[in-house]
Every structure is written in structure tokens, then in C-alpha cells.
Amino acid sequence: MFRVSNRFWFSFHGWCSLPIWVLFCFICLTGTIAVISHELTWLTNPHARAANPDNLPAKSPAELVAIVEKAHPTADIGQVMVMDPYLVSAVIFSDHDQPTAIAYVNQYSGQIQEINSGLTFIGFMRMLHGWLLFSWQHGYSIGYYLVSAMSLVMLGSLVSGLMIYKQFWKAFSAPKIRTKQGTKTLLADLHRLVGVWSIWFILIISLTGFWYLIQGVIYHTGIEVEPHAPAISGRLLPTTEPRAFPVSLEQALQLAQQRYPNFSPSYIGLPEHNRDSYHLYGSGGEIFFDHYSYQVAVNPWKGEIMQATSPKDMNGIQSIMHIADPLHYGTFGGLWTKIIWFVFGSLLTGMSITGFIIWSLRLVKAKAAVPQPSWKKVEEHC
């Protein structure tokens, strides 16, 4: 029976990380920061905080849109994003002097606390981690494939590491850290210990990352996983276009609430043209599904639901698509799971560094052990 030697697993484990160590470490680091990007925004930007000293109820997205329209009468509002309760809501609009702007609206007081016309820290970290800021062309980004392909490297490191570290489960009950046998021994013990305690985390990150790779291929090839709401027929439109849609955003939200009583909006897309719909995305209380798992499209002319989907209506691929993000970023349990993901993300980043150091020391030792030719020895003594 064929048996793979430990020498092979050592080499395989090293080559899974060494050739792309800098990229792998960078992706781990940016992903760790992206997990708490909302919290960092709250800490560093007072205008992003949704203070509510009077315990006021949160205003509806429709009310927030009305507040921005009153402050900017010529604005064309496109989207509304409802963040965590401690963060302001974001109303995205364009105006004659601002091609794209984001109004930070306190959903409790109704005050516009900031107008941001640039890239936000949250968006920057997600793009940096997700596709390394490589541009998207023809439905794909080279950076996206580079990042998602790291899941194979991570999975290979996990499997080879477990094959090298025999009886790894003993590290749970009897962890071993030798501090008096040199730097290499200490780093190796820390590397193994952190690796064993992070098995579950590495497995989740690598599997969800592999799904992102599959998802990128699906999008790139034009396969439609989630059907889009149909465009409104031109025959159903009025002959004279009114100044506003007969069905308001508030009415559309009420229709979504009637369809799904537990519906909580997270992202709202207003109609971009007269044949478009209100696109309402949100959650309904399922812990492992993201904030876009409930989708309702409402006809702004007739007040009819054009399309509605929820986790109960999803097939296997659609369910994975909406479960991957909460598992990858640890958002499914709120702040506490984010902290756990941040801690283990930091440990994973540290593992990539210690692994590189250990492998480098091993290469230096191996090179020193190779006998040098006589002519080389003569040169060194000249």
C-alpha cells in the first residue's frame, strides 16, 4: 500500500505558504481588519455613530429618504443601506455637483451628520481584501481570483499540517510550549499550538473562500443563480408620466412586511427608470443567513409584488451563497462572533509569519549542511 512520507508532507506544507507568503499574509491581515471595519468606523468617525440618548424609535428608510430629499431637493436618490443599530444609515444619492455621495443619517434623530463623497473605510477594506483593488472587467477581476484561490493554499496547509503533527488532539489537553530550547523550537511550538486550536476556523475560512472561487466562475460564465425581477411591461405604464411614482417607498416596505412579517430591511434600491421596481433586501431572523436573504421587488406603479424570495424558497446553491458571508466574516452572532473571528484572524496572520520564519530557518540550516566544493572553500579563505 502506498504511504506518503513525513518528508513529503513537510515539503508540501512549506510550499503551500512560502512562495506566496507575502500575499497570503496580506489577505489574512486585511480580512481580519475587514471583520471589525464597522466597529473601527464607529471608533474613528463620530459622524458615523447613531447616538440615541432619548431612546427614540428608529425611523423607516422611507423617512430617511424624505429627510435627504428635503435637504437636497435636486438629488437623485438611488439606494438606502441600514447598518447596525449603533451606526447611522447611509442614503446614497447623486446631485448636480456630486456624482456620488453618501448621506450619514441618524435614524433616531433624523439628523444628517455627514455627506461623504469618497470611498468609505468599510468599502475600502472589503475591496482590498476581496479583490486587492484590481479592476473588474467583463464580469471578473484578477484580484478576486487571486484571493479566492488562497483557499486552496489554506486547505493544503491545514491537511499537510495535520499529517505532520501526529496526535494533534493532545494539544487541546496538554499544550506544549518550550521556551528554553531556542527561537526555532519556540516558534514551532507556537505555530503548532495555534494551528491545532484554529482548525475549525481555518476550515471555515478555506471552505467559504473556495465557494467564492466557484461563485466567481459562475458569475464569469454568465450562469444566473438568482433570477432577477422582470422589467415592468411598457403597456402597463401610464401615457403621461407623473412627477412621482403612485406607490411610495413606505407602501412598498409595508407590502414586504405583509409578505414576510419578520422582514427587516438592510438594503433598498429605488427604481432607476420607469420600468424598474423597488428592490428591497433584508433579513428575517435566520441566524446563519445574510442580510440579503429576503428579496422583494415591488411594482412602483401598481403596488404589486413582482418577485419575492426567502430562505425557504432557496435551492442548495442559493442557500450557500447567502450563508457564506456570515460564516466567512463572523457576522452571524453580532459583535461577539466578530471579536472571535478577529482574534482567530489575527492568530492566522501570525501563523503565516511564524511559518515563514520556521521554513526560512530550515532552508538556512539545510544550505549550511550541504558540503561545499573545494574551489569555493579556497575563495572564502582568499
Side-chain angles (χ1 to χ4, degrees):
M1 182 178 179
F2 178 73
R3 183 179 179 181
V4 180
S5 65
N6 277 351
R7 184 182 181 86
F8 168 81
W9 286 118
F10 267 113
S11 299
F12 182 77
H13 187 73
W15 284 108
C16 276
S17 303
L18 183 62
I20 46 176
W21 169 77
V22 175
L23 178 61
F24 182 77
C25 182
F26 182 77
I27 292 172
C28 291
L29 178 62
T30 54
T32 301
I33 297 174
V35 166
I36 58 168
S37 57
H38 287 82
E39 287 68 30
L40 291 175
T41 298
W42 185 90
L43 285 171
T44 58
N45 186 0
H47 295 145
R49 302 171 189 170
N52 187 19
D54 299 325
N55 293 321
L56 300 173
K59 300 181 184 297
S60 71
E63 293 177 284
L64 302 182
V65 169
I67 290 171
V68 176
E69 287 178 336
K70 183 177 180 180
H72 300 269
T74 59
D76 182 14
I77 298 176
Q79 298 92 29
V80 181
M81 299 181 67
V82 180
M83 305 292 188
D84 295 302
Y86 52 87
L87 288 173
V88 295
S89 296
V91 179
I92 304 172
F93 67 94
S94 60
D95 210 339
H96 58 86
D97 58 342
Q98 293 177 316
T100 303
I102 304 175
Y104 288 179
V105 186
N106 188 316
Q107 62 268 31
Y108 306 110
S109 66
Q111 179 184 359
I112 299 177
Q113 299 182 174
E114 181 179 296
I115 300 294
N116 191 324
S117 57
L119 184 63
T120 65
F121 176 73
I122 296 172
F124 173 76
M125 289 310 305
R126 288 299 179 101
M127 290 190 293
L128 185 61
H129 174 67
W131 53 88
L132 304 174
L133 299 182
F134 277 79
S135 62
W136 286 80
Q137 297 179 348
H138 308 293
Y140 79 96
S141 167
I142 295 176
Y144 180 91
Y145 284 121
L146 283 174
V147 173
S148 55
M150 290 299 104
S151 62
L152 301 176
V153 173
M154 191 180 300
L155 196 59
S157 298
L158 175 61
V159 173
S160 57
L162 294 178
M163 296 302 297
I164 293 169
Y165 192 9
K166 307 298 183 183
Q167 298 181 334
F168 62 88
W169 53 87
K170 291 184 178 180
F172 293 113
S173 58
K176 180 174 64 174
I177 300 179
R178 293 165 289 183
T179 59
K180 299 180 180 180
Q181 297 186 23
T183 302
K184 182 180 177 182
T185 301
L186 176 61
L187 290 176
D189 287 345
L190 289 173
H191 188 81
R192 285 192 292 264
L193 183 63
V194 172
V196 170
W197 281 87
S198 302
I199 289 174
W200 65 273
F201 181 77
I202 297 172
L203 189 61
I204 289 175
I205 299 301
S206 58
L207 291 179
T208 51
F210 182 62
W211 162 251
Y212 292 142
L213 179 61
I214 296 174
Q215 184 174 266
V217 174
I218 290 174
Y219 285 152
H220 189 191
T221 54
I223 299 175
E224 188 177 75
V225 177
E226 290 186 312
H228 297 284
I232 299 171
S233 173
R235 293 177 298 177
L236 302 178
L237 300 180
T239 54
T240 58
E241 187 172 337
R243 296 181 60 184
F245 290 111
V247 179
S248 66
L249 174 58
E250 187 66 45
Q251 292 172 312
L253 289 167
Q254 290 174 0
L255 287 172
Q257 200 77 47
Q258 293 172 8
R259 183 65 175 265
Y260 301 116
N262 295 325
F263 178 77
S264 177
S266 301
Y267 177 86
I268 296 169
L270 277 68
E272 296 182 359
H273 47 80
N274 61 0
R275 296 186 60 191
D276 198 8
S277 304
Y278 289 110
H279 297 279
L280 315 177
Y281 300 85
S283 58
E286 289 83 359
I287 184 171
F288 288 114
F289 282 83
D290 63 17
H291 295 305
Y292 305 94
S293 56
Y294 284 75
Q295 303 177 16
V296 180
V298 178
N299 187 324
W301 301 101
K302 302 293 185 181
E304 301 171 346
I305 293 179
M306 304 287 291
Q307 185 185 42
T309 58
S310 71
K312 293 181 180 179
D313 308 318
M314 295 179 183
N315 56 35
I317 294 179
Q318 292 169 345
S319 296
I320 294 174
M321 180 180 295
H322 288 281
I323 290 174
D325 264 14
L327 289 176
H328 193 77
Y329 291 101
T331 57
F332 58 89
L335 181 60
W336 290 109
T337 50
K338 285 184 180 182
I339 293 174
I340 294 172
W341 257 241
F342 174 77
V343 170
F344 278 90
S346 301
L347 292 175
L348 184 59
T349 305
M351 281 182 64
S352 68
I353 297 174
T354 57
F356 174 76
I357 296 173
I358 293 169
W359 187 255
S360 299
L361 293 175
R362 189 182 299 275
L363 288 178
V364 171
K365 183 179 179 180
K367 184 177 180 181
V370 175
Q372 296 181 347
S374 58
W375 62 267
K376 184 68 175 178
K377 294 179 180 179
V378 172
E379 285 183 355
E380 289 177 351
H381 288 85
C382 289

